[in-house]
C-alpha cells in the first residue's frame, strides 16, 4: 500500500556525518589504542585499514555487513509479500546508521521505548516514530507533543488509561504546542503482563476520553504478544492466540463503529521478534488482508539476529518460512587468558560485555569440529567455558563469541565495528543509549 516516507534522508545523512566526527573517549573499549595524541573518531576508525582479528585488542564488538544486509533484505521482502508494514524497535541497537539501513529496505516507521529515544530518532531524520510504551511524566510528554508539532512528523503513542490521555492534554495546554502529528494507539494488554488496557470496557473509556478531549487522533490499536506467551510450545501459542483474538476483536469492533476517524487506514501494531510470523498469520486470518487497515510489525532483533535465542526459536528457522534464514551478525572478540584446569578456559569478557538474559553466549570460532561451545558462567570481566579437550583453546587464543538475544549486548558498546567477511573494518555504527 502506498505511504509517505518516514525518514528525511538528508537530515539523517547530515546527522551521521556529524556523529562520525565526534571524538571518542580515550581508551574506549573495543577500539585500538590511539595513534598519537588525537582521539579516535568513528570516521577515523573506518579509514584506518584495520582488521578486527589481527589489529584490535580484545574485547571488541563487530557486525558483519553481509549478514546485516541479508537480514534487512529478507525482512523487507517478507513484509512486502505479506502486505504488512515494518516499524522495527530502534531501541534494540540505538545505532542511527543501522536505522538508515532498515529504512532503505522498506521500513515504515521507527519504534522506540522511551521519549528520549524519540528525540534521538527525530534528530537523525526519522519523521514517523512509534512510542510502544506509556509516557506519563510532564517533561517527557511536553517533549513528545513538541515533536508532534514539527512539520512532517508523526508521533504514534500508546495510551492505556484516561489519566494518560489527560496527561497528554495537559502537556499540550501547558506548551501551547500545535501537535498536529500526534496519533494515539490504544494499548491492549494481558492480565499480569505489562502495560495495556485489561478489558474492552477500559479501552472504550480511553477512546471516549480521547474523542471528548480533542487531544489527538485515535489512529488504531497497539499491542504486544510477548507477555501472553514466550516461545513456541503448544501452551504458549494457545495463550498468544487467545490474546490475539481479544485484540483483533476490539480492533474490528472499534473499526466498525468508527472509533478510528480520518482518511488513513487504522493501524494495528503488534508483533515483536519472537513469533511475528504467528502474529501476522493470526491477525490476517481474523481481519483479512491488510487493505482496510495497516498491520505494523515491530520486530527489532531481526537485523542483528543472534547465535542463540532467536537462532533456535525465531520465525526464520521454522517450517514454512519461504526465505533464507536470518544470520547472526553480532560477534564479540575475546581472548583466552587462563587455563587453570584441564576442563576450564577463561575469556576476558564478562557481564560488562555480553548479555545472558535469554540463554548463554557461545564460542563459535575457532573450534576444531565446528559447532559452538557455551559460556557457562559470567563474572564482571570473566567468561567461563568448559572444553572437552584440554588441548583446544590454549592461553592466548583469540575467539569469536556469538551472543543470545542482541538487546542486552548492544547496549554495552559505544562503537560497533562493521566488517566484511574477512573481518576487515569497513564501517562503524555508533550507538546512542
Amino acid at each position: 500500500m502506498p505511504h509517505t516516507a518516514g525518514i528525511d534522508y538528508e537530515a539523517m545523512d547530515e546527522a551521521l556525518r556529524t556523529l562520525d566526527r565526534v571524538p571518542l573517549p580515550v581508551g574506549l573499549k573495543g577500539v585500538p589504542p590511539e595513534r598519537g595524541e588525537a582521539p579516535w573518531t568513528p570516521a577515523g576508525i573506518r579509514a584506518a585499514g584495520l582488521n578486527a582479528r589481527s589489529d584490535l585488542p580484545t574485547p571488541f564488538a563487530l557486525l558483519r555487513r553481509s549478514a546485516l544486509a541479508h537480514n534487512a533484505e529478507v525482512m523487507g521482502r517478507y513484509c512486502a509479500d505479506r502486505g504488512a508494514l515494518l516499524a522495527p524497535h530502534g531501541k534494540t541497537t540505538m545505532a542511527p546508521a543501522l536505522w538508515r539501513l532498515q529504512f532503505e529496505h522498506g521500513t515504515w516507521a521507527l519504534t522506540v521505548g522511551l521519549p528520549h529515544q524519540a528525540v534521538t530518532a527525530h534528530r537523525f531524520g526519522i519523521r514517523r516514530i512509534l512510542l510502544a510504551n506509556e509516557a506519563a511524566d510532564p517533561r517527557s510528554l511536553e517533549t513528545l507533543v513538541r515533536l508532534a508539532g514539527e512539520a512532517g512528523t508523526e508521533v504514534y503513542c500508546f495510551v492505556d488509561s484516561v489519566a494518560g490521555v489527560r496527561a497528554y492534554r495537559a502537556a499540550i495546554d501547558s506548551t501551547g504546542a500545535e501537535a498536529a502529528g500526534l496519533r494515539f494507539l490504544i494499548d491492549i494488554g494481558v492480565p499480569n503482563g505489562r502495560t495495556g488496557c485489561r478489558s474492552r470496557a477500559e479501552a472504550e473509556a480511553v477512546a471516549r476520553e480521547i474523542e471528548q478531549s480533542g487531544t489527538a487522533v485515535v489512529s488504531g490499536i497497539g499491542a504486544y504478544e510477548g507477555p501472553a506467551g514466550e516461545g513456541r510450545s503448544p501452551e504458549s501459542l494457545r495463550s498468544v492466540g487467545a490474546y490475539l483474538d481479544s485484540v483483533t476483536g476490539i480492533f474490528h469492533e472499534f473499526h466498525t463503529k468508527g472509533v478510528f476517524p480520518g482518511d488513513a487506514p487504522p493501524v494495528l501494531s503488534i508483533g515483536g521478534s519472537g513469533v511475528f510470523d504467528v502474529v501476522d498469520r493470526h491477525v490476517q486470518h481474523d481481519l483479512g488482508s491488510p487493505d482496510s487497515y495497516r498491520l505494523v510489525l515491530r520486530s527489532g532483533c531481526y537485523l542483528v539476529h543472534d547465535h542463540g535465542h532467536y537462532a533456535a526459536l525465531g520465525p526464520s528457522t521454522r517450517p514454512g518460512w519461504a526465505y533464507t534464514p536470518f544470520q547472526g551478525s553480532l560477534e564479540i572478540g575475546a581472548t583466552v587468558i587462563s587455563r587453570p584446569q584441564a576442563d576450564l578456559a577463561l575469556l576476558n569478557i564478562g557481564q560488562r560485555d555480553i548479555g545472558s538474559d535469554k540463554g548463554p553466549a557461545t564460542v563459535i570460532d575457532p573450534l576444531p569440529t565446528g559447532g559452538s561451545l557455551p559460556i557457562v558462567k559470567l563474572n564482571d570481566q570473566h567468561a567461563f567455558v568448559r572444553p572437552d579437550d584440554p588441548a583446544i583453546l590454549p592461553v592466548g587464543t583469540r575467539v569469536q563469541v556469538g551472543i543470545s538475544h542482541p538487546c542486552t549486548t548492544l547496549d554495552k558498546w559505544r562503537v560497533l565495528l562493521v566488517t566484511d567477511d574477512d573481518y576487515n573494518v569497513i564501517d562503524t555504527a555508533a550507538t546512542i543509549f
Side-chain angles (χ1 to χ4, degrees), residues 106-121:
T107 284
W108 178 74
L110 189 76
T111 297
V112 296
L114 294 169
H116 80 270
Q117 296 169 349
V119 172
T120 300

Side-chain angles (χ1 to χ4, degrees), residues 177-194:
E178 296 286 340
L182 185 61
R183 311 279 188 264
F184 279 152
L185 301 179
I186 299 175
D187 186 6
I188 307 299
V190 60
N192 301 313
R194 302 196 309 207

Side-chain angles (χ1 to χ4, degrees), residues 250 273 321 425:
I250 294 171
S273 297
W321 179 257
V425 178

Side-chain angles (χ1 to χ4, degrees), residues 251 255 265-266 287 289-294:
F251 182 87
H255 197 2
L287 299 176
S289 297
D291 298 321
S292 63
Y293 69 100
R294 288 171 168 168

Side-chain angles (χ1 to χ4, degrees), residues 40-102:
W40 284 109
T41 64
I45 295 172
R46 182 174 59 244
L50 300 169
N51 182 277
R53 301 188 76 169
S54 61
D55 297 329
L56 296 180
T58 58
F60 58 82
L62 67 83
L63 296 165
R64 290 188 302 108
R65 179 73 184 190
S66 61
L68 292 173
H70 167 82
N71 295 344
E73 193 271 334
V74 167
M75 191 63 173
R77 280 198 294 125
Y78 173 87
C79 289
D81 290 347
R82 296 291 298 168
L85 299 177
L86 180 61
H89 234 314
K91 71 177 177 64
T92 300
T93 65
M94 286 306 294
L98 300 185
W99 299 343
R100 193 190 195 288
L101 175 64
Q102 291 171 299

